[in-house]
Amino acid sequence: MVGRRFAGPTLRSADEYRWPSSFSGFRKRTTARQRPLEETGLLMNALAQLRSRFAKALSDLAADPAPFTAMVRPTQDAKFGDFQANFAMPLAKQLGKNPRDLAAEIVGKLDLSDLCQPLEVAGPGFINIRLKDDWLTEQTNRSVTDARLGVEANTTPKRIVIDYSAPNVAKPMHVGHLRSTVLGNALYRVAKFLGHHVQGDNHIGDWGTQFGMILFGYKNFLDRAAFESAPVTELARQYRLVSQLSTYHDAKVELPKAETRLAQLEIELAAAEASKSANDKNAEKTLKKQRSDLNEVREQIASLKKQIETVESSPSLKALADAYPQIAELARLETAKLHAGTEENTRLWNQFVPQCLAAIQGIYDRLDIRFDMTCGESFYNPMLADVVADLQAKGLASESDGAICVFIPGNAAPFIVRKRDGAFTYATSDLATIRYRVNVLHADTMLYVVDTRQSEHFRLLFETAKLWGYGDREMVHVNFGTILGKDNKPYKTRSGDTIGLESLLDAAVAKARQIVDANDDSKPEGRELNDDARATVAETVGLGAIKYADLRHNRESDYVYDEDKMLATTGDTATYMQYAYARVAGIFRKGGVNRETLRNSGGRLLITHPSERALALQLLRFSEALDGVLAEYRPNILTDYLFATANTFSTFYQGCTVLKEPDEAIRTSRLLLCDLTARVIATGLDLLGIKTCEQM
RNA sequence: GCGCCCGUAGCUCAGUUGGAUAGAGCAACGGAUUUCUAAUCCGUAGGUCGGGGGUUCGAAUCCCUCCGGGCGUGCCA
């Protein structure tokens, strides 16, 4: 299971975590808040502008025009124009009118002549909208000189806390941390770019049983020399060792039980098969279930045997296992002592945590992942007793079977905030976190970028938080699916171990290097990149491939980790976008064009070819794509957009000469399009946490 | 047992919350190049949106049911 949640190293004052008083780049925008959007002159999002116009026309037809203006959207097929309004049918029904007549009526009282060509009513009452080239060129000209590429910062920014990555710092990060980290970071960047006040919070695991294992290993099995030269590696080895021994003893106990159960299931199945009468659907179903249970137990047994075999095949491991039959209990004891605040364990913990964090930071640096705060379990630990007491005082939590639980109507499982043994759970910690995020950070919205398998936990958590008095805040479980191997099972090594994140990155970069080498070697005029440059490109391409593959899927789907596909040089991959960017960069390099000068040259966009219009329109839709990402926390909307943008550019570049264009005004216009394309692609990729190269 | 999720082209996946003739990529096939970077572009073919029923102007999308698969499920996080 993916690690998640565990607390900040040392207790820090709340002051450190207050919202920054200044958000440079956003403040100016917020002053425009009260003015109608069109009057600010900043609004370039065509869709928002159209909706706003339609809202006026609908104001005396519908009490609340919002749901209807939401039905103004980009067309799916260019033959219907650029946008379409689909509200006439439902609105006509509500008003008891004919939809086509209503559409015509609205078209009649709407003057959009500055924006688009005359509106057309089609089919049962669709209103088709096609932007005027004049308006398109005007907007594009504005974007060219706009640092924000025509994307308006939100006029009513929210305070958003995004909880992502959240590894257990006691062990190396693995493939299971990839999605939360990559997805969370992309959402973080997009939300920030759109003007929200965002706090990226790494809710690390630094207070749980894993630390007990490290402490036990350190005290009993430490290789002092190894620890002194590479402390984190040695601590990770200790964790693995203790965990392995403890698993071994568990497996020894579990194996006979599983075998008994297997035998029993086999007998039951045989009996059921013998007595089954033909065409009995219920019996068929039961049999199926039994076979599936049987398989499950067989797999469990195989896994247990493997765990046992691993230890017993190594004399040294076996000796350790025999010497410490109670190792799990002993490790738990170390955890308990840490929680109780004994001098030695506290001192060791204070020594280890910063070292572990520094190691993890190495991966974050490489992946360019940013957080504003790192508060995990240890940070919230002192608040937990009070959380439980408060829940009890308010009558929300009660004792059941020795544990303190919150029962949410409609949910069979209780939300356990204190175990029978008195220990708190991550439920308690999550509640303390919500209270902190609301009371101290003043969060309006709290996002949890966590594996979908924990959705039940979050349902209970949010329900409990609502009852507790935080119902006015938005809490969203931004859930995501599992990364699978090619066998369609959760991605593991052949021997069944989880895959370390570092080695995953290295493998992708190494593969990218081969591609970069092959491509550069085959250039008509010989290689262009020295070894250092190739290494940089390979790092950019390799890491970009991993991130993009993760982000381009609908987050809720599982997906198969396939290095060949994610690093393919054709198709919907980061490489394709990075290449599109490098091509544009090459145009400026080759033409000796200073892009800054170009932008301020006063040159205007001229539409002389369909692919120029298509590209300009596509570039103006950047803002729509970003809004789409945040509407449902789906970065794949941005990957789709970027792929379409790169594709539209390639088509344009195929059909339109740029540097070789003899007409200077047209050449300038096309250079402006190239410049804008490069900036949109680079910015879009950057918002996904993906880098670009000037040359590749 | 109960709960949640999924099933879309040969493969991998989108599908803007109910809109027009369901879209991409890969693979396949056909075409474009004395390359402003071909890591490219254009085109062709490929579908009972798991099956059935229902709701309505209109369904891949909402409801019911069946089939197939995944995940979770009282003291791990």
Short mmCIF file of all heavy atoms in Angstrom, two decimals, chain A residues 10-18 375 379 436 440-441:
data_model
loop_
_atom_site.label_atom_id
_atom_site.label_comp_id
_atom_site.label_asym_id
_atom_site.label_seq_id
_atom_site.Cartn_x
_atom_site.Cartn_y
_atom_site.Cartn_z
N THR A 10 10.30 18.66 13.21
CA THR A 10 10.25 19.27 14.53
C THR A 10 9.04 20.16 14.57
O THR A 10 8.60 20.65 13.54
CB THR A 10 11.50 20.11 14.78
OG1 THR A 10 11.69 20.95 13.65
CG2 THR A 10 12.72 19.24 14.96
N LEU A 11 8.53 20.39 15.72
CA LEU A 11 7.38 21.27 15.82
C LEU A 11 7.80 22.68 15.44
O LEU A 11 8.75 23.22 15.99
CB LEU A 11 6.82 21.25 17.24
CG LEU A 11 6.08 19.97 17.59
CD1 LEU A 11 5.46 20.10 18.95
CD2 LEU A 11 5.02 19.69 16.56
N ARG A 12 7.07 23.21 14.51
CA ARG A 12 7.40 24.56 14.10
C ARG A 12 6.26 25.48 14.49
O ARG A 12 5.14 25.04 14.64
CB ARG A 12 7.60 24.61 12.58
CG ARG A 12 8.95 24.07 12.20
CD ARG A 12 9.02 23.85 10.73
NE ARG A 12 8.38 22.59 10.39
CZ ARG A 12 8.52 22.03 9.20
NH1 ARG A 12 9.23 22.61 8.27
NH2 ARG A 12 7.94 20.90 8.94
N SER A 13 6.56 26.72 14.64
CA SER A 13 5.50 27.64 15.03
C SER A 13 4.54 27.80 13.85
O SER A 13 4.92 27.70 12.69
CB SER A 13 6.09 29.00 15.38
OG SER A 13 6.46 29.67 14.21
N ALA A 14 3.32 28.06 14.20
CA ALA A 14 2.32 28.23 13.16
C ALA A 14 2.66 29.40 12.25
O ALA A 14 2.31 29.41 11.09
CB ALA A 14 0.95 28.46 13.79
N ASP A 15 3.38 30.35 12.80
CA ASP A 15 3.71 31.54 12.01
C ASP A 15 4.39 31.19 10.70
O ASP A 15 4.17 31.82 9.67
CB ASP A 15 4.63 32.48 12.80
CG ASP A 15 3.85 33.21 13.88
OD1 ASP A 15 2.61 33.10 13.84
OD2 ASP A 15 4.47 33.85 14.73
N GLU A 16 5.24 30.17 10.78
CA GLU A 16 5.97 29.81 9.57
C GLU A 16 5.03 29.38 8.46
O GLU A 16 5.40 29.37 7.31
CB GLU A 16 6.90 28.64 9.86
CG GLU A 16 8.22 29.05 10.46
CD GLU A 16 9.11 27.84 10.60
OE1 GLU A 16 9.44 27.24 9.57
OE2 GLU A 16 9.46 27.50 11.75
N TYR A 17 3.83 28.94 8.86
CA TYR A 17 2.94 28.38 7.86
C TYR A 17 1.81 29.30 7.49
O TYR A 17 0.90 28.93 6.77
CB TYR A 17 2.38 27.05 8.39
CG TYR A 17 3.48 26.07 8.64
CD1 TYR A 17 3.66 25.54 9.89
CD2 TYR A 17 4.37 25.73 7.62
CE1 TYR A 17 4.69 24.66 10.12
CE2 TYR A 17 5.40 24.87 7.85
CZ TYR A 17 5.56 24.32 9.11
OH TYR A 17 6.58 23.46 9.33
N ARG A 18 1.86 30.50 7.99
CA ARG A 18 0.83 31.47 7.59
C ARG A 18 0.91 31.69 6.10
O ARG A 18 1.95 31.52 5.48
CB ARG A 18 1.06 32.80 8.32
CG ARG A 18 0.78 32.70 9.80
CD ARG A 18 -0.50 33.45 10.14
NE ARG A 18 -1.00 33.00 11.45
CZ ARG A 18 -0.50 33.40 12.61
NH1 ARG A 18 0.51 34.23 12.65
NH2 ARG A 18 -1.02 32.95 13.74
N CYS A 375 4.32 19.13 6.65
CA CYS A 375 3.77 18.84 7.97
C CYS A 375 3.10 17.48 7.95
O CYS A 375 2.07 17.31 7.29
CB CYS A 375 2.72 19.88 8.36
SG CYS A 375 3.42 21.47 8.70
N PHE A 379 3.88 16.39 13.34
CA PHE A 379 3.45 17.77 13.56
C PHE A 379 2.10 17.82 14.25
O PHE A 379 1.84 18.65 15.11
CB PHE A 379 3.39 18.50 12.22
CG PHE A 379 2.93 19.92 12.32
CD1 PHE A 379 3.79 20.92 12.77
CD2 PHE A 379 1.63 20.27 11.97
CE1 PHE A 379 3.36 22.23 12.87
CE2 PHE A 379 1.20 21.58 12.08
CZ PHE A 379 2.06 22.56 12.52
N TYR A 436 -6.45 22.31 11.59
CA TYR A 436 -5.31 23.21 11.43
C TYR A 436 -5.39 23.99 10.11
O TYR A 436 -5.17 25.20 10.06
CB TYR A 436 -4.01 22.39 11.47
CG TYR A 436 -2.76 23.23 11.35
CD1 TYR A 436 -2.22 23.87 12.47
CD2 TYR A 436 -2.12 23.40 10.13
CE1 TYR A 436 -1.08 24.64 12.37
CE2 TYR A 436 -0.98 24.17 10.02
CZ TYR A 436 -0.46 24.78 11.14
OH TYR A 436 0.66 25.55 11.04
N VAL A 440 -5.85 27.76 11.11
CA VAL A 440 -4.58 28.48 11.03
C VAL A 440 -4.29 28.94 9.60
O VAL A 440 -3.86 30.07 9.37
CB VAL A 440 -3.42 27.60 11.53
CG1 VAL A 440 -2.10 28.35 11.44
CG2 VAL A 440 -3.69 27.16 12.97
N LEU A 441 -4.53 28.06 8.63
CA LEU A 441 -4.22 28.41 7.24
C LEU A 441 -5.40 29.08 6.54
O LEU A 441 -5.25 29.60 5.45
CB LEU A 441 -3.80 27.17 6.46
CG LEU A 441 -2.60 26.39 7.03
CD1 LEU A 441 -2.33 25.14 6.21
CD2 LEU A 441 -1.35 27.26 7.07
#
